[in-house]
Amino acid sequence: MDSVTQLTLGAAVAVAALGQKPGSKVKVALAGAVLGTLPDLDVLIDYGDVVSNMVLHRTESHALFYQTLISPVLAWLAALCCNQRSYYRHWLLATWLILITHTGIDAMTVYGTQFGLPFTNTPFAVGSMFIIDPLYTLPLLAGVLWYLFSRRGKGYRANSAGIVLSSAYLVWSFAAQQYVTGIAIHNAQQQLRDQQQILVTPAPLNTILWRIVVMTEQGYAEGFYSLFDSSDQIEFTLIAQDTSLKQRYADVKAVQQLSWFSRGFYTLAQQGDILLLTDLRMGQEGSYAFQFEVDPSNHRAVIQQPMRRDAATALPWLWQRMWGVQLPSPYLAASR
């Protein structure tokens, strides 16, 4: 999830654990926010190339085993900074909960979180939450602010209510994803006889509009489904690819890494002597978050292409499509 959500969640968990103890309310919330941000500092580590930096994000710093090992030290520092050394046990619980909830909501996105290290490096990804979702963050933020600017008892209850509401939203996102997955599978079986894998993830900022990616023998297909659509029929856009490229360049390091990390939801395209390697899970056709130029002969470094962004076009489309208006994907429409 985004940094604002993580620091807000960290603050909310700290308040839940220590909000009724004597001491500075601001210091407790601030310490929780800092702890909630710490795991994402692994983005500062350079693993040698842009693809490695991508697939090795959310590794040791997000692993439950290592988080448990480091929690006693971080808890002692937090208790010291908040002048609450007598409540060290409470800070130990709070610190551990802050770190594992950080990992937990990251795993709800489609990116991939390797929280099983050192026992397994599987990139777990539920994919029912977009990386930024205001309906998850706002209840947490409201609860923390209410706690900070009201009497301790009333604010503590408001913070707890914020955590309950946000947690309920996570459950809702998973239930909605499973519902849409059933519809997507039915449509894929009817329309795409050579379908192999299906991915269902929310469109940006919501859990009403869902994006479906279907890998096929000839390439892949993309479709969208809103919970407000009047029909369960999904219109897929087929994107043909030279699927032999995956086999031909299977030994290229960047291809191996993204094939594993994306769980097969990637594509390769030949552009002269360069390969265009794309993670199909994040973004949409015409605007992907992770797209790389790869030289299979290793004569030049891998280059990450900038994501195509057109908020003036994409946001109105998102709003209308979310409420069931049947519109083509904005980037596809603009390219035709």
mmCIF file of all heavy atoms in Angstrom, residues 87-112:
data_model
loop_
_atom_site.group_PDB
_atom_site.id
_atom_site.type_symbol
_atom_site.label_atom_id
_atom_site.label_comp_id
_atom_site.label_asym_id
_atom_site.label_seq_id
_atom_site.Cartn_x
_atom_site.Cartn_y
_atom_site.Cartn_z
ATOM 1 N N TYR A 87 6.018 0.704 30.021
ATOM 2 C CA TYR A 87 5.014 0.028 29.191
ATOM 3 C C TYR A 87 5.684 -0.681 28.010
ATOM 4 O O TYR A 87 5.101 -0.794 26.921
ATOM 5 C CB TYR A 87 3.980 1.033 28.668
ATOM 6 C CG TYR A 87 3.180 1.677 29.778
ATOM 7 C CD1 TYR A 87 3.404 3.003 30.131
ATOM 8 C CD2 TYR A 87 2.235 0.945 30.494
ATOM 9 C CE1 TYR A 87 2.690 3.595 31.157
ATOM 10 C CE2 TYR A 87 1.519 1.526 31.527
ATOM 11 C CZ TYR A 87 1.753 2.850 31.858
ATOM 12 O OH TYR A 87 1.043 3.426 32.879
ATOM 13 N N TYR A 88 6.882 -1.168 28.255
ATOM 14 C CA TYR A 88 7.639 -1.821 27.178
ATOM 15 C C TYR A 88 6.864 -3.003 26.584
ATOM 16 O O TYR A 88 6.855 -3.199 25.356
ATOM 17 C CB TYR A 88 8.998 -2.307 27.696
ATOM 18 C CG TYR A 88 9.718 -3.185 26.697
ATOM 19 C CD1 TYR A 88 10.317 -2.633 25.566
ATOM 20 C CD2 TYR A 88 9.769 -4.577 26.865
ATOM 21 C CE1 TYR A 88 10.959 -3.438 24.630
ATOM 22 C CE2 TYR A 88 10.411 -5.379 25.934
ATOM 23 C CZ TYR A 88 10.999 -4.807 24.824
ATOM 24 O OH TYR A 88 11.627 -5.603 23.902
ATOM 25 N N ARG A 89 6.204 -3.790 27.420
ATOM 26 C CA ARG A 89 5.472 -4.950 26.897
ATOM 27 C C ARG A 89 4.370 -4.517 25.935
ATOM 28 O O ARG A 89 4.121 -5.187 24.924
ATOM 29 C CB ARG A 89 4.885 -5.762 28.047
ATOM 30 C CG ARG A 89 5.935 -6.490 28.893
ATOM 31 C CD ARG A 89 5.263 -7.341 29.949
ATOM 32 N NE ARG A 89 6.244 -8.059 30.752
ATOM 33 C CZ ARG A 89 5.936 -8.870 31.763
ATOM 34 N NH1 ARG A 89 4.646 -9.081 32.070
ATOM 35 N NH2 ARG A 89 6.885 -9.479 32.440
ATOM 36 N N HIS A 90 3.732 -3.416 26.263
ATOM 37 C CA HIS A 90 2.692 -2.909 25.365
ATOM 38 C C HIS A 90 3.312 -2.440 24.045
ATOM 39 O O HIS A 90 2.744 -2.663 22.964
ATOM 40 C CB HIS A 90 1.935 -1.765 26.033
ATOM 41 C CG HIS A 90 1.112 -2.180 27.208
ATOM 42 N ND1 HIS A 90 1.645 -2.334 28.476
ATOM 43 C CD2 HIS A 90 -0.209 -2.491 27.318
ATOM 44 C CE1 HIS A 90 0.698 -2.709 29.310
ATOM 45 N NE2 HIS A 90 -0.435 -2.828 28.633
ATOM 46 N N TRP A 91 4.471 -1.820 24.130
ATOM 47 C CA TRP A 91 5.139 -1.380 22.919
ATOM 48 C C TRP A 91 5.648 -2.562 22.101
ATOM 49 O O TRP A 91 5.678 -2.513 20.869
ATOM 50 C CB TRP A 91 6.289 -0.428 23.246
ATOM 51 C CG TRP A 91 5.852 1.001 23.251
ATOM 52 C CD1 TRP A 91 5.762 1.841 24.318
ATOM 53 C CD2 TRP A 91 5.423 1.749 22.101
ATOM 54 N NE1 TRP A 91 5.289 3.072 23.924
ATOM 55 C CE2 TRP A 91 5.082 3.041 22.563
ATOM 56 C CE3 TRP A 91 5.286 1.462 20.745
ATOM 57 C CZ2 TRP A 91 4.615 4.039 21.701
ATOM 58 C CZ3 TRP A 91 4.819 2.448 19.896
ATOM 59 C CH2 TRP A 91 4.491 3.722 20.369
ATOM 60 N N LEU A 92 6.038 -3.619 22.775
ATOM 61 C CA LEU A 92 6.478 -4.817 22.054
ATOM 62 C C LEU A 92 5.332 -5.389 21.234
ATOM 63 O O LEU A 92 5.500 -5.732 20.045
ATOM 64 C CB LEU A 92 6.999 -5.858 23.045
ATOM 65 C CG LEU A 92 7.488 -7.182 22.444
ATOM 66 C CD1 LEU A 92 8.613 -6.938 21.437
ATOM 67 C CD2 LEU A 92 7.938 -8.138 23.540
ATOM 68 N N LEU A 93 4.168 -5.487 21.849
ATOM 69 C CA LEU A 93 2.998 -5.977 21.119
ATOM 70 C C LEU A 93 2.633 -5.021 19.995
ATOM 71 O O LEU A 93 2.364 -5.448 18.852
ATOM 72 C CB LEU A 93 1.816 -6.142 22.073
ATOM 73 C CG LEU A 93 0.484 -6.552 21.424
ATOM 74 C CD1 LEU A 93 0.613 -7.911 20.753
ATOM 75 C CD2 LEU A 93 -0.645 -6.562 22.451
ATOM 76 N N ALA A 94 2.637 -3.715 20.291
ATOM 77 C CA ALA A 94 2.267 -2.722 19.285
ATOM 78 C C ALA A 94 3.219 -2.769 18.095
ATOM 79 O O ALA A 94 2.786 -2.748 16.933
ATOM 80 C CB ALA A 94 2.273 -1.326 19.897
ATOM 81 N N THR A 95 4.515 -2.839 18.377
ATOM 82 C CA THR A 95 5.514 -2.851 17.299
ATOM 83 C C THR A 95 5.335 -4.064 16.401
ATOM 84 O O THR A 95 5.353 -3.954 15.163
ATOM 85 C CB THR A 95 6.931 -2.848 17.896
ATOM 86 O OG1 THR A 95 7.100 -1.673 18.693
ATOM 87 C CG2 THR A 95 7.985 -2.888 16.802
ATOM 88 N N TRP A 96 5.168 -5.220 17.008
ATOM 89 C CA TRP A 96 4.985 -6.440 16.221
ATOM 90 C C TRP A 96 3.726 -6.355 15.368
ATOM 91 O O TRP A 96 3.738 -6.696 14.185
ATOM 92 C CB TRP A 96 4.929 -7.644 17.154
ATOM 93 C CG TRP A 96 4.859 -8.956 16.442
ATOM 94 C CD1 TRP A 96 5.842 -9.562 15.720
ATOM 95 C CD2 TRP A 96 3.710 -9.816 16.365
ATOM 96 N NE1 TRP A 96 5.390 -10.756 15.206
ATOM 97 C CE2 TRP A 96 4.091 -10.943 15.587
ATOM 98 C CE3 TRP A 96 2.425 -9.751 16.893
ATOM 99 C CZ2 TRP A 96 3.206 -11.976 15.328
ATOM 100 C CZ3 TRP A 96 1.539 -10.786 16.622
ATOM 101 C CH2 TRP A 96 1.938 -11.891 15.842
ATOM 102 N N LEU A 97 2.644 -5.854 15.960
ATOM 103 C CA LEU A 97 1.388 -5.729 15.215
ATOM 104 C C LEU A 97 1.514 -4.715 14.081
ATOM 105 O O LEU A 97 0.967 -4.923 12.988
ATOM 106 C CB LEU A 97 0.248 -5.325 16.154
ATOM 107 C CG LEU A 97 -0.240 -6.403 17.122
ATOM 108 C CD1 LEU A 97 -1.264 -5.820 18.082
ATOM 109 C CD2 LEU A 97 -0.832 -7.587 16.365
ATOM 110 N N ILE A 98 2.227 -3.619 14.327
ATOM 111 C CA ILE A 98 2.408 -2.608 13.286
ATOM 112 C C ILE A 98 3.151 -3.196 12.097
ATOM 113 O O ILE A 98 2.774 -2.996 10.931
ATOM 114 C CB ILE A 98 3.155 -1.383 13.843
ATOM 115 C CG1 ILE A 98 2.248 -0.602 14.805
ATOM 116 C CG2 ILE A 98 3.634 -0.469 12.709
ATOM 117 C CD1 ILE A 98 2.976 0.458 15.605
ATOM 118 N N LEU A 99 4.210 -3.945 12.372
ATOM 119 C CA LEU A 99 5.009 -4.512 11.284
ATOM 120 C C LEU A 99 4.242 -5.573 10.505
ATOM 121 O O LEU A 99 4.272 -5.604 9.263
ATOM 122 C CB LEU A 99 6.304 -5.104 11.844
ATOM 123 C CG LEU A 99 7.284 -4.106 12.475
ATOM 124 C CD1 LEU A 99 8.496 -4.840 13.026
ATOM 125 C CD2 LEU A 99 7.713 -3.042 11.468
ATOM 126 N N ILE A 100 3.537 -6.453 11.208
ATOM 127 C CA ILE A 100 2.853 -7.525 10.482
ATOM 128 C C ILE A 100 1.591 -7.022 9.776
ATOM 129 O O ILE A 100 1.212 -7.573 8.732
ATOM 130 C CB ILE A 100 2.528 -8.729 11.390
ATOM 131 C CG1 ILE A 100 1.491 -8.372 12.449
ATOM 132 C CG2 ILE A 100 3.781 -9.293 12.020
ATOM 133 C CD1 ILE A 100 0.947 -9.588 13.184
ATOM 134 N N THR A 101 0.951 -5.982 10.312
ATOM 135 C CA THR A 101 -0.194 -5.431 9.586
ATOM 136 C C THR A 101 0.272 -4.678 8.349
ATOM 137 O O THR A 101 -0.438 -4.657 7.327
ATOM 138 C CB THR A 101 -1.046 -4.517 10.477
ATOM 139 O OG1 THR A 101 -0.213 -3.506 11.077
ATOM 140 C CG2 THR A 101 -1.755 -5.305 11.560
ATOM 141 N N HIS A 102 1.437 -4.055 8.426
ATOM 142 C CA HIS A 102 2.035 -3.452 7.223
ATOM 143 C C HIS A 102 2.175 -4.512 6.133
ATOM 144 O O HIS A 102 1.742 -4.323 4.991
ATOM 145 C CB HIS A 102 3.408 -2.865 7.574
ATOM 146 C CG HIS A 102 4.141 -2.292 6.390
ATOM 147 N ND1 HIS A 102 4.475 -0.962 6.306
ATOM 148 C CD2 HIS A 102 4.603 -2.861 5.233
ATOM 149 C CE1 HIS A 102 5.098 -0.739 5.154
ATOM 150 N NE2 HIS A 102 5.190 -1.885 4.488
ATOM 151 N N THR A 103 2.773 -5.633 6.494
ATOM 152 C CA THR A 103 2.952 -6.727 5.546
ATOM 153 C C THR A 103 1.599 -7.277 5.085
ATOM 154 O O THR A 103 1.410 -7.592 3.901
ATOM 155 C CB THR A 103 3.779 -7.848 6.190
ATOM 156 O OG1 THR A 103 5.111 -7.370 6.406
ATOM 157 C CG2 THR A 103 3.832 -9.085 5.312
ATOM 158 N N GLY A 104 0.664 -7.378 6.009
ATOM 159 C CA GLY A 104 -0.640 -7.952 5.685
ATOM 160 C C GLY A 104 -1.390 -7.177 4.626
ATOM 161 O O GLY A 104 -1.922 -7.760 3.672
ATOM 162 N N ILE A 105 -1.429 -5.838 4.754
ATOM 163 C CA ILE A 105 -2.186 -5.088 3.747
ATOM 164 C C ILE A 105 -1.403 -4.987 2.442
ATOM 165 O O ILE A 105 -2.002 -4.867 1.365
ATOM 166 C CB ILE A 105 -2.624 -3.695 4.251
ATOM 167 C CG1 ILE A 105 -1.431 -2.820 4.601
ATOM 168 C CG2 ILE A 105 -3.563 -3.826 5.414
ATOM 169 C CD1 ILE A 105 -1.843 -1.374 4.865
ATOM 170 N N ASP A 106 -0.065 -5.047 2.507
ATOM 171 C CA ASP A 106 0.702 -5.121 1.266
ATOM 172 C C ASP A 106 0.371 -6.394 0.507
ATOM 173 O O ASP A 106 0.286 -6.397 -0.731
ATOM 174 C CB ASP A 106 2.201 -5.087 1.569
ATOM 175 C CG ASP A 106 2.754 -3.669 1.629
ATOM 176 O OD1 ASP A 106 2.004 -2.722 1.313
ATOM 177 O OD2 ASP A 106 3.929 -3.509 2.002
ATOM 178 N N ALA A 107 0.206 -7.484 1.223
ATOM 179 C CA ALA A 107 -0.110 -8.762 0.584
ATOM 180 C C ALA A 107 -1.501 -8.769 -0.037
ATOM 181 O O ALA A 107 -1.806 -9.625 -0.877
ATOM 182 C CB ALA A 107 0.017 -9.907 1.587
ATOM 183 N N MET A 108 -2.358 -7.822 0.351
ATOM 184 C CA MET A 108 -3.683 -7.737 -0.247
ATOM 185 C C MET A 108 -3.642 -7.114 -1.636
ATOM 186 O O MET A 108 -4.616 -7.194 -2.382
ATOM 187 C CB MET A 108 -4.623 -6.921 0.657
ATOM 188 C CG MET A 108 -4.880 -7.549 2.015
ATOM 189 S SD MET A 108 -5.727 -9.144 1.922
ATOM 190 C CE MET A 108 -7.360 -8.637 1.370
ATOM 191 N N THR A 109 -2.519 -6.456 -1.983
ATOM 192 C CA THR A 109 -2.378 -5.902 -3.325
ATOM 193 C C THR A 109 -1.853 -6.976 -4.267
ATOM 194 O O THR A 109 -1.510 -8.076 -3.852
ATOM 195 C CB THR A 109 -1.431 -4.689 -3.317
ATOM 196 O OG1 THR A 109 -0.096 -5.129 -3.045
ATOM 197 C CG2 THR A 109 -1.858 -3.673 -2.268
ATOM 198 N N VAL A 110 -1.718 -6.636 -5.541
ATOM 199 C CA VAL A 110 -1.307 -7.620 -6.545
ATOM 200 C C VAL A 110 0.203 -7.654 -6.726
ATOM 201 O O VAL A 110 0.731 -8.519 -7.433
ATOM 202 C CB VAL A 110 -2.009 -7.317 -7.897
ATOM 203 C CG1 VAL A 110 -1.331 -6.137 -8.608
ATOM 204 C CG2 VAL A 110 -2.061 -8.546 -8.787
ATOM 205 N N TYR A 111 0.927 -6.762 -6.085
ATOM 206 C CA TYR A 111 2.361 -6.610 -6.356
ATOM 207 C C TYR A 111 3.152 -7.880 -6.051
ATOM 208 O O TYR A 111 3.885 -8.385 -6.890
ATOM 209 C CB TYR A 111 2.916 -5.445 -5.526
ATOM 210 C CG TYR A 111 4.363 -5.113 -5.829
ATOM 211 C CD1 TYR A 111 4.678 -4.173 -6.803
ATOM 212 C CD2 TYR A 111 5.406 -5.729 -5.145
ATOM 213 C CE1 TYR A 111 5.999 -3.862 -7.090
ATOM 214 C CE2 TYR A 111 6.727 -5.424 -5.427
ATOM 215 C CZ TYR A 111 7.018 -4.489 -6.394
ATOM 216 O OH TYR A 111 8.328 -4.195 -6.674
ATOM 217 N N GLY A 112 3.027 -8.389 -4.832
ATOM 218 C CA GLY A 112 3.810 -9.564 -4.423
ATOM 219 C C GLY A 112 4.644 -9.260 -3.198
ATOM 220 O O GLY A 112 5.519 -8.395 -3.242
#
